[in-house]
PDB file of all heavy atoms in Angstrom:
ATOM      1  N   TYR A  16      -8.828  -0.923  -8.502  1.00 97.00           N
ATOM      2  CA  TYR A  16      -8.600  -2.067  -7.760  1.00 97.00           C
ATOM      3  C   TYR A  16      -9.374  -1.945  -6.330  1.00 97.00           C
ATOM      4  O   TYR A  16      -9.392  -0.853  -5.745  1.00 97.00           O
ATOM      5  CB  TYR A  16      -7.147  -2.333  -7.548  1.00 97.00           C
ATOM      6  CG  TYR A  16      -6.330  -2.516  -8.677  1.00 97.00           C
ATOM      7  CD1 TYR A  16      -5.666  -1.313  -9.171  1.00 97.00           C
ATOM      8  CD2 TYR A  16      -6.315  -3.572  -9.478  1.00 97.00           C
ATOM      9  CE1 TYR A  16      -5.009  -1.526 -10.428  1.00 97.00           C
ATOM     10  CE2 TYR A  16      -5.531  -3.784 -10.553  1.00 97.00           C
ATOM     11  CZ  TYR A  16      -4.882  -2.714 -11.011  1.00 97.00           C
ATOM     12  OH  TYR A  16      -4.230  -2.881 -12.138  1.00 97.00           O
ATOM     13  N   SER A  17     -10.043  -3.068  -6.012  1.00 96.00           N
ATOM     14  CA  SER A  17     -10.625  -2.948  -4.640  1.00 96.00           C
ATOM     15  C   SER A  17      -9.563  -3.225  -3.637  1.00 96.00           C
ATOM     16  O   SER A  17      -8.331  -3.502  -3.881  1.00 96.00           O
ATOM     17  CB  SER A  17     -11.644  -4.238  -4.526  1.00 96.00           C
ATOM     18  OG  SER A  17     -10.924  -5.324  -4.456  1.00 96.00           O
ATOM     19  N   ASP A  18      -9.956  -2.870  -2.419  1.00 93.00           N
ATOM     20  CA  ASP A  18      -9.009  -2.811  -1.298  1.00 93.00           C
ATOM     21  C   ASP A  18      -8.377  -4.248  -0.941  1.00 93.00           C
ATOM     22  O   ASP A  18      -7.238  -4.401  -0.433  1.00 93.00           O
ATOM     23  CB  ASP A  18      -9.562  -2.273   0.084  1.00 93.00           C
ATOM     24  CG  ASP A  18      -9.684  -0.822  -0.105  1.00 93.00           C
ATOM     25  OD1 ASP A  18      -9.094  -0.160  -1.019  1.00 93.00           O
ATOM     26  OD2 ASP A  18     -10.561  -0.273   0.813  1.00 93.00           O
ATOM     27  N   ASP A  19      -9.171  -5.302  -1.255  1.00 94.00           N
ATOM     28  CA  ASP A  19      -8.557  -6.613  -1.112  1.00 94.00           C
ATOM     29  C   ASP A  19      -7.838  -7.163  -2.380  1.00 94.00           C
ATOM     30  O   ASP A  19      -7.204  -8.326  -2.398  1.00 94.00           O
ATOM     31  CB  ASP A  19      -9.605  -7.653  -0.537  1.00 94.00           C
ATOM     32  CG  ASP A  19     -10.730  -7.973  -1.587  1.00 94.00           C
ATOM     33  OD1 ASP A  19     -10.931  -7.135  -2.553  1.00 94.00           O
ATOM     34  OD2 ASP A  19     -11.372  -9.067  -1.382  1.00 94.00           O
ATOM     35  N   GLU A  20      -7.820  -6.477  -3.476  1.00 97.00           N
ATOM     36  CA  GLU A  20      -7.131  -6.710  -4.693  1.00 97.00           C
ATOM     37  C   GLU A  20      -5.723  -6.164  -4.662  1.00 97.00           C
ATOM     38  O   GLU A  20      -4.719  -6.667  -4.943  1.00 97.00           O
ATOM     39  CB  GLU A  20      -7.807  -6.272  -5.848  1.00 97.00           C
ATOM     40  CG  GLU A  20      -8.858  -7.146  -6.396  1.00 97.00           C
ATOM     41  CD  GLU A  20      -9.532  -6.436  -7.694  1.00 97.00           C
ATOM     42  OE1 GLU A  20      -9.952  -5.274  -7.603  1.00 97.00           O
ATOM     43  OE2 GLU A  20      -9.463  -7.226  -8.657  1.00 97.00           O
ATOM     44  N   LEU A  21      -5.634  -4.887  -4.067  1.00 98.00           N
ATOM     45  CA  LEU A  21      -4.333  -4.099  -4.012  1.00 98.00           C
ATOM     46  C   LEU A  21      -4.344  -3.355  -2.730  1.00 98.00           C
ATOM     47  O   LEU A  21      -5.159  -2.591  -2.407  1.00 98.00           O
ATOM     48  CB  LEU A  21      -4.438  -3.145  -5.171  1.00 98.00           C
ATOM     49  CG  LEU A  21      -3.055  -2.378  -5.330  1.00 98.00           C
ATOM     50  CD1 LEU A  21      -1.925  -3.436  -5.895  1.00 98.00           C
ATOM     51  CD2 LEU A  21      -3.184  -1.190  -6.319  1.00 98.00           C
ATOM     52  N   TYR A  22      -3.382  -3.838  -1.840  1.00 98.00           N
ATOM     53  CA  TYR A  22      -3.261  -3.316  -0.591  1.00 98.00           C
ATOM     54  C   TYR A  22      -2.185  -2.065  -0.807  1.00 98.00           C
ATOM     55  O   TYR A  22      -1.121  -2.277  -1.255  1.00 98.00           O
ATOM     56  CB  TYR A  22      -2.645  -4.293   0.442  1.00 98.00           C
ATOM     57  CG  TYR A  22      -3.607  -5.422   0.717  1.00 98.00           C
ATOM     58  CD1 TYR A  22      -3.690  -6.506  -0.145  1.00 98.00           C
ATOM     59  CD2 TYR A  22      -4.483  -5.266   1.740  1.00 98.00           C
ATOM     60  CE1 TYR A  22      -4.508  -7.606   0.085  1.00 98.00           C
ATOM     61  CE2 TYR A  22      -5.281  -6.301   2.083  1.00 98.00           C
ATOM     62  CZ  TYR A  22      -5.331  -7.474   1.132  1.00 98.00           C
ATOM     63  OH  TYR A  22      -6.352  -8.496   1.319  1.00 98.00           O
ATOM     64  N   LYS A  23      -2.621  -0.822  -0.535  1.00 98.00           N
ATOM     65  CA  LYS A  23      -1.878   0.301  -0.780  1.00 98.00           C
ATOM     66  C   LYS A  23      -1.530   0.773   0.612  1.00 98.00           C
ATOM     67  O   LYS A  23      -2.206   1.129   1.526  1.00 98.00           O
ATOM     68  CB  LYS A  23      -2.702   1.381  -1.537  1.00 98.00           C
ATOM     69  CG  LYS A  23      -3.245   0.794  -2.833  1.00 98.00           C
ATOM     70  CD  LYS A  23      -4.323   1.805  -3.414  1.00 98.00           C
ATOM     71  CE  LYS A  23      -5.691   1.610  -2.654  1.00 98.00           C
ATOM     72  NZ  LYS A  23      -6.424   0.389  -2.976  1.00 98.00           N
ATOM     73  N   LEU A  24      -0.181   0.857   0.869  1.00 98.00           N
ATOM     74  CA  LEU A  24       0.396   1.110   2.097  1.00 98.00           C
ATOM     75  C   LEU A  24       1.420   2.398   2.082  1.00 98.00           C
ATOM     76  O   LEU A  24       2.047   2.561   1.060  1.00 98.00           O
ATOM     77  CB  LEU A  24       1.071   0.028   2.863  1.00 98.00           C
ATOM     78  CG  LEU A  24       0.191  -1.234   2.910  1.00 98.00           C
ATOM     79  CD1 LEU A  24       0.995  -2.399   3.332  1.00 98.00           C
ATOM     80  CD2 LEU A  24      -0.941  -0.973   3.971  1.00 98.00           C
ATOM     81  N   THR A  25       1.408   3.213   3.184  1.00 98.00           N
ATOM     82  CA  THR A  25       2.254   4.192   3.304  1.00 98.00           C
ATOM     83  C   THR A  25       2.855   4.276   4.603  1.00 98.00           C
ATOM     84  O   THR A  25       2.329   3.824   5.579  1.00 98.00           O
ATOM     85  CB  THR A  25       1.482   5.639   3.187  1.00 98.00           C
ATOM     86  OG1 THR A  25       0.716   5.710   1.931  1.00 98.00           O
ATOM     87  CG2 THR A  25       2.369   6.705   3.268  1.00 98.00           C
ATOM     88  N   ILE A  26       4.265   4.524   4.589  1.00 98.00           N
ATOM     89  CA  ILE A  26       5.012   4.592   5.973  1.00 98.00           C
ATOM     90  C   ILE A  26       5.249   5.997   6.327  1.00 98.00           C
ATOM     91  O   ILE A  26       5.603   6.849   5.472  1.00 98.00           O
ATOM     92  CB  ILE A  26       6.159   3.794   5.892  1.00 98.00           C
ATOM     93  CG1 ILE A  26       6.765   3.423   7.326  1.00 98.00           C
ATOM     94  CG2 ILE A  26       7.276   4.454   4.976  1.00 98.00           C
ATOM     95  CD1 ILE A  26       7.743   2.237   7.402  1.00 98.00           C
ATOM     96  N   VAL A  27       4.920   6.369   7.590  1.00 97.00           N
ATOM     97  CA  VAL A  27       4.889   7.829   8.117  1.00 97.00           C
ATOM     98  C   VAL A  27       5.690   7.880   9.290  1.00 97.00           C
ATOM     99  O   VAL A  27       5.684   7.035  10.117  1.00 97.00           O
ATOM    100  CB  VAL A  27       3.471   8.375   8.044  1.00 97.00           C
ATOM    101  CG1 VAL A  27       2.710   8.398   6.801  1.00 97.00           C
ATOM    102  CG2 VAL A  27       2.819   7.569   9.197  1.00 97.00           C
ATOM    103  N   ASP A  28       6.138   9.077   9.552  1.00 93.00           N
ATOM    104  CA  ASP A  28       6.771   9.454  10.692  1.00 93.00           C
ATOM    105  C   ASP A  28       5.879  10.683  11.083  1.00 93.00           C
ATOM    106  O   ASP A  28       4.789  10.633  11.231  1.00 93.00           O
ATOM    107  CB  ASP A  28       8.213   9.829  10.600  1.00 93.00           C
ATOM    108  CG  ASP A  28       8.942   9.971  11.891  1.00 93.00           C
ATOM    109  OD1 ASP A  28       8.284   9.984  13.101  1.00 93.00           O
ATOM    110  OD2 ASP A  28      10.281   9.914  12.017  1.00 93.00           O
ATOM    111  N   ASP A  29       6.452  11.881  11.096  1.00 92.00           N
ATOM    112  CA  ASP A  29       5.717  13.115  11.087  1.00 92.00           C
ATOM    113  C   ASP A  29       5.126  13.409   9.726  1.00 92.00           C
ATOM    114  O   ASP A  29       4.301  14.278   9.627  1.00 92.00           O
ATOM    115  CB  ASP A  29       6.503  14.337  11.641  1.00 92.00           C
ATOM    116  CG  ASP A  29       6.835  14.093  13.259  1.00 92.00           C
ATOM    117  OD1 ASP A  29       6.167  13.417  13.910  1.00 92.00           O
ATOM    118  OD2 ASP A  29       7.954  14.616  13.570  1.00 92.00           O
ATOM    119  N   GLU A  30       5.768  12.869   8.719  1.00 96.00           N
ATOM    120  CA  GLU A  30       5.383  13.097   7.426  1.00 96.00           C
ATOM    121  C   GLU A  30       5.409  11.752   6.659  1.00 96.00           C
ATOM    122  O   GLU A  30       5.930  10.664   7.245  1.00 96.00           O
ATOM    123  CB  GLU A  30       6.236  14.064   6.800  1.00 96.00           C
ATOM    124  CG  GLU A  30       7.821  13.656   6.794  1.00 96.00           C
ATOM    125  CD  GLU A  30       8.683  14.801   6.346  1.00 96.00           C
ATOM    126  OE1 GLU A  30       8.263  15.698   5.739  1.00 96.00           O
ATOM    127  OE2 GLU A  30       9.892  14.646   6.711  1.00 96.00           O
ATOM    128  N   ILE A  31       4.975  11.722   5.376  1.00 97.00           N
ATOM    129  CA  ILE A  31       5.040  10.538   4.577  1.00 97.00           C
ATOM    130  C   ILE A  31       6.530  10.276   4.218  1.00 97.00           C
ATOM    131  O   ILE A  31       7.235  11.199   3.616  1.00 97.00           O
ATOM    132  CB  ILE A  31       4.199  10.767   3.294  1.00 97.00           C
ATOM    133  CG1 ILE A  31       2.674  10.965   3.744  1.00 97.00           C
ATOM    134  CG2 ILE A  31       4.332   9.508   2.418  1.00 97.00           C
ATOM    135  CD1 ILE A  31       1.837  11.399   2.552  1.00 97.00           C
ATOM    136  N   ILE A  32       6.908   9.203   4.400  1.00 97.00           N
ATOM    137  CA  ILE A  32       8.320   8.682   4.116  1.00 97.00           C
ATOM    138  C   ILE A  32       8.431   7.763   2.884  1.00 97.00           C
ATOM    139  O   ILE A  32       9.485   7.813   2.173  1.00 97.00           O
ATOM    140  CB  ILE A  32       9.034   7.909   5.315  1.00 97.00           C
ATOM    141  CG1 ILE A  32       8.989   8.808   6.601  1.00 97.00           C
ATOM    142  CG2 ILE A  32      10.450   7.598   5.065  1.00 97.00           C
ATOM    143  CD1 ILE A  32       9.767   9.992   6.590  1.00 97.00           C
ATOM    144  N   GLY A  33       7.467   6.807   2.730  1.00 98.00           N
ATOM    145  CA  GLY A  33       7.563   5.966   1.759  1.00 98.00           C
ATOM    146  C   GLY A  33       6.143   5.344   1.332  1.00 98.00           C
ATOM    147  O   GLY A  33       5.154   5.544   2.133  1.00 98.00           O
ATOM    148  N   HIS A  34       6.088   4.561   0.386  1.00 98.00           N
ATOM    149  CA  HIS A  34       4.830   3.998  -0.218  1.00 98.00           C
ATOM    150  C   HIS A  34       5.081   2.662  -0.945  1.00 98.00           C
ATOM    151  O   HIS A  34       6.195   2.594  -1.506  1.00 98.00           O
ATOM    152  CB  HIS A  34       4.190   5.088  -1.066  1.00 98.00           C
ATOM    153  CG  HIS A  34       3.003   4.406  -1.840  1.00 98.00           C
ATOM    154  ND1 HIS A  34       1.798   4.151  -1.327  1.00 98.00           N
ATOM    155  CD2 HIS A  34       2.950   4.190  -3.167  1.00 98.00           C
ATOM    156  CE1 HIS A  34       0.968   3.683  -2.244  1.00 98.00           C
ATOM    157  NE2 HIS A  34       1.642   3.699  -3.424  1.00 98.00           N
ATOM    158  N   LEU A  35       4.192   1.810  -0.921  1.00 98.00           N
ATOM    159  CA  LEU A  35       4.264   0.545  -1.718  1.00 98.00           C
ATOM    160  C   LEU A  35       2.917  -0.062  -1.882  1.00 98.00           C
ATOM    161  O   LEU A  35       1.932   0.410  -1.068  1.00 98.00           O
ATOM    162  CB  LEU A  35       5.309  -0.382  -1.248  1.00 98.00           C
ATOM    163  CG  LEU A  35       5.295  -0.989   0.145  1.00 98.00           C
ATOM    164  CD1 LEU A  35       4.050  -1.841   0.569  1.00 98.00           C
ATOM    165  CD2 LEU A  35       6.515  -1.711   0.510  1.00 98.00           C
ATOM    166  N   THR A  36       2.712  -1.014  -2.687  1.00 98.00           N
ATOM    167  CA  THR A  36       1.479  -1.740  -2.818  1.00 98.00           C
ATOM    168  C   THR A  36       1.840  -3.218  -2.680  1.00 98.00           C
ATOM    169  O   THR A  36       3.053  -3.814  -2.783  1.00 98.00           O
ATOM    170  CB  THR A  36       0.877  -1.644  -4.144  1.00 98.00           C
ATOM    171  OG1 THR A  36       1.754  -2.042  -5.139  1.00 98.00           O
ATOM    172  CG2 THR A  36       0.606  -0.130  -4.401  1.00 98.00           C
ATOM    173  N   ILE A  37       0.720  -4.054  -2.313  1.00 98.00           N
ATOM    174  CA  ILE A  37       0.897  -5.506  -2.095  1.00 98.00           C
ATOM    175  C   ILE A  37      -0.253  -5.993  -2.793  1.00 98.00           C
ATOM    176  O   ILE A  37      -1.487  -5.563  -2.592  1.00 98.00           O
ATOM    177  CB  ILE A  37       0.889  -5.948  -0.582  1.00 98.00           C
ATOM    178  CG1 ILE A  37       2.000  -5.274   0.184  1.00 98.00           C
ATOM    179  CG2 ILE A  37       0.900  -7.461  -0.561  1.00 98.00           C
ATOM    180  CD1 ILE A  37       1.962  -5.503   1.634  1.00 98.00           C
ATOM    181  N   ARG A  38      -0.076  -7.080  -3.545  1.00 98.00           N
ATOM    182  CA  ARG A  38      -1.163  -7.834  -4.342  1.00 98.00           C
ATOM    183  C   ARG A  38      -0.889  -9.308  -4.284  1.00 98.00           C
ATOM    184  O   ARG A  38       0.211  -9.668  -4.299  1.00 98.00           O
ATOM    185  CB  ARG A  38      -1.476  -7.264  -5.638  1.00 98.00           C
ATOM    186  CG  ARG A  38      -0.437  -7.590  -6.598  1.00 98.00           C
ATOM    187  CD  ARG A  38      -0.692  -6.863  -8.002  1.00 98.00           C
ATOM    188  NE  ARG A  38       0.539  -6.980  -8.884  1.00 98.00           N
ATOM    189  CZ  ARG A  38       0.842  -8.108  -9.761  1.00 98.00           C
ATOM    190  NH1 ARG A  38       0.051  -9.013  -9.727  1.00 98.00           N
ATOM    191  NH2 ARG A  38       1.928  -7.907 -10.339  1.00 98.00           N
ATOM    192  N   PHE A  39      -1.968 -10.115  -4.300  1.00 98.00           N
ATOM    193  CA  PHE A  39      -1.750 -11.483  -4.322  1.00 98.00           C
ATOM    194  C   PHE A  39      -1.728 -11.986  -5.683  1.00 98.00           C
ATOM    195  O   PHE A  39      -2.418 -11.453  -6.574  1.00 98.00           O
ATOM    196  CB  PHE A  39      -2.929 -12.229  -3.611  1.00 98.00           C
ATOM    197  CG  PHE A  39      -2.787 -12.349  -2.060  1.00 98.00           C
ATOM    198  CD1 PHE A  39      -3.365 -11.390  -1.323  1.00 98.00           C
ATOM    199  CD2 PHE A  39      -1.776 -13.027  -1.498  1.00 98.00           C
ATOM    200  CE1 PHE A  39      -3.201 -11.263   0.046  1.00 98.00           C
ATOM    201  CE2 PHE A  39      -1.674 -13.047  -0.093  1.00 98.00           C
ATOM    202  CZ  PHE A  39      -2.427 -12.056   0.735  1.00 98.00           C
ATOM    203  N   ILE A  40      -0.745 -12.947  -6.093  1.00 97.00           N
ATOM    204  CA  ILE A  40      -0.594 -13.392  -7.525  1.00 97.00           C
ATOM    205  C   ILE A  40      -0.968 -14.738  -7.718  1.00 97.00           C
ATOM    206  O   ILE A  40      -0.794 -15.286  -8.766  1.00 97.00           O
ATOM    207  CB  ILE A  40       0.868 -13.138  -8.052  1.00 97.00           C
ATOM    208  CG1 ILE A  40       1.885 -13.819  -7.126  1.00 97.00           C
ATOM    209  CG2 ILE A  40       1.050 -11.574  -8.025  1.00 97.00           C
ATOM    210  CD1 ILE A  40       3.369 -13.716  -7.639  1.00 97.00           C
TER     211      ILE A  40
END
């Protein structure tokens, strides 16, 4: 997927805490 097809995001503090994706449908 291209970056504008699937937005891949990570939430961090001092380390990685979580992750998710966003896509338009």
Side-chain angles (χ1 to χ4, degrees):
Y16 303 96
S17 69
D18 288 343
D19 68 338
E20 283 180 299
L21 188 69
Y22 298 84
K23 303 164 285 287
L24 302 170
T25 303
I26 198 161
V27 296
D28 195 347
D29 293 331
E30 59 189 338
I31 299 167
I32 304 287
H34 168 71
L35 55 69
T36 62
I37 303 168
R38 64 184 170 90
F39 284 100
I40 58 173

